[in-house]
Amino acid sequence: MTADPLLTLRDVSVRLGGRKGFLQRTILPVQAVKQVSLDLHSGEILSLVGESGCGKTTLGRTILGLQRESEGEILLEGRRVSGLAPEAARRARSIVQYSHQDAGAALDPWWSIGRTLEEGLKIHGVRNASERHDRVAAMLQAVGLDPTSARRYPHEFSGGQLRRLALARVLLLKPRVLILDEPTSGLDMSVQATVLNLLLELRERFSLTYLFISHDLSVVERLSDRVAIMYLGRIVELGTAKTVFGQPTHPYTRTLLAAAPRLTGRRASGPSLVRGDPPNPRLILPGCSFFDRCPIAEPACRQSTPKLQPVAGDHDVACHRAEMAGEEGQTASIGAKRRA
Ligand SMILES: Nc1ncnc2c1ncn2[C@@H]1O[C@H](COP(=O)(O)OP(=O)(O)OP(=O)(O)O)[C@@H](O)[C@H]1O
Ligand code: SF4
Ligand SMILES: [Mg+2]
């Protein structure tokens, strides 16, 4: 890894919504992302993992500038992009592209693939039609599709092929960082494997860096250099894939891994279900946000929010009881702890 990260997030928080509703009732905003600090280094694959609604997509959209951070700052190649004027921010952010959770949504159903892909190049200033045509044909080949696919329409492609097309669309814009939002969701296992292999190939070929958003822990384990576990807008554990999967420490990580099928056939020990539902993201309670679901919580966990802190080398955990979480997490049973 290089010393200078390609992307840096410093204490980034994002608030969404919040307004006067029907009959002047106040609708509270959602604290979708809370004080997230992360570095993404050139060439690495950093995975962002967490249950539905924890803020993964919001964080991706914020990095891209589609959503404004309410606090904190974002740096690309060491340069602050938060607060830049719109045109300067657009230029600075052009090294980052986003591959949408819904691959089909990125393609216009009424336009041929060639027209959609060429349009992206046109918007980015490629004026020469034959250059656009040649670049689209070469990119279709790079993602494993026949260049004649350019004449076809989105409904003529399978789910796996749509993923390839969505990748071609963003790669034409020559990003250095790709935010891949659930790139294999909804695909069957064999197609998933070919898409993942393609992602690894493309990373080599185009010297890409990935922020990989996924629910699928076996995919994350296979692909990632580092893993960030997110719970209710916060990063609660961060480390190399080997450490997070080998020595999961935060009680939430332990529960997630205990429930998931693993590449190695091993499962982490610990309660295999996260009990209950996550708290309402519109209500901010004091202390640790995992409190109500944590098998080893103690009253003190309500007093202050645990910060992400090193527990060893490159391994950070946000838990007041991180030292005992490993040990106690193995034996704590769901509901065994009574809390104040
Ligand atoms: N436009 C919006 N206005 C208000 N709240 C929103 C908006 N978009 C998302 N949210 C809320 O923000 C939180 C984070 O949503 P987000 O889509 O980032 O989660 P996610 O981790 O990507 O979930 P999933 O795994 O289901 O894709 C959720 O509570 C969601 O309901
Ligand atoms: S701080 Fe307390 S409630 Fe939160 S995860 Fe750690 S032990 Fe559980
Ligand atoms: Mg999402």
Side-chain angles (χ1 to χ4, degrees):
M1 275 180 206
T2 58
D4 292 328
L6 261 185
L7 165 71
T8 300
L9 306 181
R10 285 192 192 138
D11 284 327
V12 170
S13 298
V14 183
R15 247 188 324 270
L16 298 174
R19 60 196 156 84
K20 290 280 183 206
F22 186 57
L23 295 177
Q24 295 300 298
R25 271 181 53 224
T26 300
I27 298 175
L28 293 170
V30 173
Q31 300 288 331
V33 174
K34 295 174 198 153
Q35 294 179 314
V36 167
S37 294
L38 273 183
D39 284 332
L40 185 63
H41 296 271
S42 180
E44 77 168 331
I45 302 180
L46 171 63
S47 288
L48 193 57
V49 176
E51 67 196 320
S52 192
C54 73
K56 305 180 295 295
T57 295
T58 305
L59 187 59
R61 287 171 53 81
T62 307
I63 294 168
L64 215 70
L66 296 176
Q67 182 64 52
R68 183 180 289 208
E69 59 276 18
S70 34
E71 281 155 45
E73 58 179 16
I74 298 175
L75 292 89
L76 285 168
E77 299 176 303
R79 187 162 168 244
R80 192 172 186 274
V81 292
S82 311
L84 286 181
E87 184 49 31
R90 196 190 61 74
R91 259 185 280 119
R93 281 183 150 114
S94 65
I95 67 158
V96 186
Q97 292 294 332
Y98 179 74
S99 173
H100 201 276
Q101 210 162 342
D102 174 4
L107 304 167
D108 188 320
W110 305 106
W111 282 15
S112 69
I113 294 304
R115 185 174 172 197
T116 295
L117 298 187
E118 285 198 32
E119 187 66 16
L121 289 174
K122 229 191 250 180
I123 291 169
H124 283 79
V126 183
R127 290 174 203 281
N128 184 304
S130 82
E131 183 189 343
R132 288 197 302 267
H133 178 272
D134 292 350
R135 278 174 62 177
V136 165
M139 188 55 76
L140 286 171
Q141 264 181 325
V143 298
L145 293 170
D146 193 291
T148 57
S149 309
R151 293 199 288 269
R152 294 161 59 195
Y153 288 80
H155 71 270
E156 299 175 56
F157 292 90
S158 68
Q161 290 171 329
L162 286 175
R163 294 279 159 183
R164 289 171 189 268
L165 289 170
L167 285 170
R169 196 181 69 85
V170 289
L171 288 177
L172 277 168
L173 307 179
K174 300 190 174 166
R176 296 189 65 200
V177 178
L178 210 49
I179 302 174
L180 296 158
D181 201 346
E182 303 278 3
T184 57
S185 69
L187 302 178
D188 67 39
M189 290 297 276
S190 62
V191 181
Q192 266 192 25
T194 57
V195 171
L196 291 175
N197 287 335
L198 174 68
L199 287 173
L200 292 175
E201 261 174 58
L202 293 171
R203 180 176 67 136
E204 286 293 311
R205 179 163 175 179
F206 297 110
S207 305
L208 295 165
T209 300
Y210 291 159
L211 180 63
F212 185 82
I213 298 175
S214 181
H215 283 101
D216 188 332
L217 289 169
S218 63
V219 168
V220 167
E221 185 174 17
R222 170 168 164 216
L223 215 68
S224 319
D225 297 305
R226 289 191 302 142
V227 179
I229 307 285
M230 197 166 186
Y231 183 77
L232 217 65
R234 288 185 196 276
I235 305 295
V236 296
E237 186 153 3
L238 174 66
T240 61
K242 195 168 169 218
T243 312
V244 172
F245 281 92
Q247 293 142 34
T249 300
H250 194 281
Y252 176 61
T253 314
R254 297 180 65 80
T255 322
L256 272 187
L257 296 196
R262 296 281 302 285
L263 267 187
T264 55
R266 284 181 290 115
R267 281 174 190 250
S269 53
S272 61
L273 283 176
V274 189
R275 59 185 172 158
D277 295 319
N280 182 344
R282 292 177 200 275
L283 299 177
I284 304 170
L285 296 170
C288 175
S289 49
F290 194 56
F291 182 87
D292 287 324
R293 306 169 87 189
C294 178
I296 61 164
E298 58 182 14
C301 301
R302 264 281 179 248
Q303 307 302 315
S304 63
T305 305
K307 289 199 169 18
L308 195 63
Q309 285 180 342
V311 287
D314 268 349
H315 189 191
D316 297 347
V317 178
C319 171
H320 292 312
R321 308 192 72 201
E323 312 84 57
M324 41 272 269
E327 288 305 305
E328 284 195 39
Q330 292 188 24
T331 50
S333 61
I334 295 171
K337 295 255 166 195
R338 284 266 169 262
R339 297 190 293 279

